[in-house]
Amino acid sequence: MPRPIGQKLLSFDRRLGARFVAGADEAGRGSLAGPLVVAGVLLDYECLRNHKVRPLASLNDSKQVSPAEREELFRAVVGCAARISVRVIPCTDIDRNGLHRSNLAGLRAMLEALTPPAEACLVDGFRLGPSAPEHTAVVDGDEKSAAIAAASIVAKVTRDRLMRRLDALYPAYGFAQHVGYITPGHSAVVRALGPSAVHRLSFQALCYEEAVA
């Protein structure tokens, strides 16, 4: 019988031989509207044993689980993590500084917030440059590392909750359904109404070019 995915992710981190492992990830990088949310999660592997680690048995990459499962995993991570850090980067910052630069700066800040006591720092995919704490970029890290997967859950759930709030402020755009990503319906509304105050105007999107003046 195969092990639960969460056990495989936890084993990846344990093999690092460190007590405190920090993971960082983001949500919303490819979105047309809304903020970029970056999160960092610190796991204390000396404490994560027996019943204390069981809530993380089903931990997985946020993209691989349903919204309801993400909410349940979010509560599990909050209950098990030694520390959590989150930063919300608004669309105005993304437009001013660029998406990639904003993302790297946010991920660096998350690792800095957890170091010390973090002894090993993992980030999903990107090298963050020499100014960041010493870290390892793990390709598809949210599918391999428990700390990165936990950060992906925190970032995704936090961002989805924010997008639902923005849906109440801008109900015409359907943010509660697509959480800011490009869909045919989202593009059609932008063409008809123009972008809202929370759209990323620096993105090269056809619907912007076709929007009403």
Side-chain angles (χ1 to χ4, degrees):
M1 183 175 180
R3 290 189 300 168
I5 183 65
Q7 290 184 15
K8 294 180 181 180
L9 302 181
L10 290 159
S11 294
F12 179 93
D13 289 4
R14 289 187 189 280
R15 286 195 295 271
L16 299 173
R19 172 178 175 177
F20 291 103
V21 179
D25 201 4
E26 51 72 28
R29 197 160 58 96
S31 178
L32 185 66
L36 178 72
V37 175
V38 289
V41 172
L42 182 70
L43 298 180
D44 179 353
Y45 278 94
E46 188 170 295
C47 294
L48 279 181
R49 298 183 184 279
N50 303 322
H51 69 281
K52 291 186 178 180
V53 78
R54 286 175 194 155
L56 299 181
S58 58
L59 182 63
N60 202 350
D61 168 21
S62 63
K63 297 184 292 296
Q64 303 297 323
V65 295
S66 70
E69 290 171 321
R70 281 198 296 267
E71 288 285 347
E72 185 174 341
L73 284 169
F74 179 88
R75 291 188 291 271
V77 170
V78 170
C80 292
R83 191 179 300 172
I84 293 174
S85 56
V86 179
R87 176 172 292 185
V88 178
I89 302 172
C91 58
T92 50
D93 286 10
I94 295 169
D95 287 342
R96 180 173 60 251
N97 301 320
L99 174 65
H100 188 59
R101 182 178 295 179
S102 298
N103 190 32
L104 295 186
L107 292 169
R108 278 195 296 269
M110 294 303 94
L111 294 184
E112 288 165 359
L114 302 176
T115 308
E119 301 163 291
C121 293
L122 307 175
V123 65
D124 186 27
F126 298 104
R127 289 289 303 169
L128 305 180
S131 64
E134 184 176 348
H135 62 284
T136 300
V138 182
V139 177
D140 296 326
D142 45 11
E143 300 176 7
K144 297 175 181 176
S145 158
I148 296 177
S152 80
I153 291 290
V154 171
K156 176 62 174 169
V157 170
T158 300
R159 188 177 185 278
D160 284 358
R161 291 176 178 179
L162 288 172
M163 293 308 297
R164 288 194 291 270
R165 293 181 184 180
L166 289 175
D167 183 73
L169 295 175
Y170 305 96
Y173 291 89
F175 291 147
Q177 286 72 49
H178 53 66
V179 294
Y181 288 90
I182 295 178
T183 65
H186 186 186
S187 297
V189 174
V190 173
R191 290 189 186 98
L193 303 180
S196 73
V198 295
H199 277 84
R200 303 175 187 178
L201 301 182
S202 56
F203 278 29
Q204 301 299 313
L206 186 61
C207 59
Y208 287 165
E209 300 173 11
E210 297 174 348
V212 294

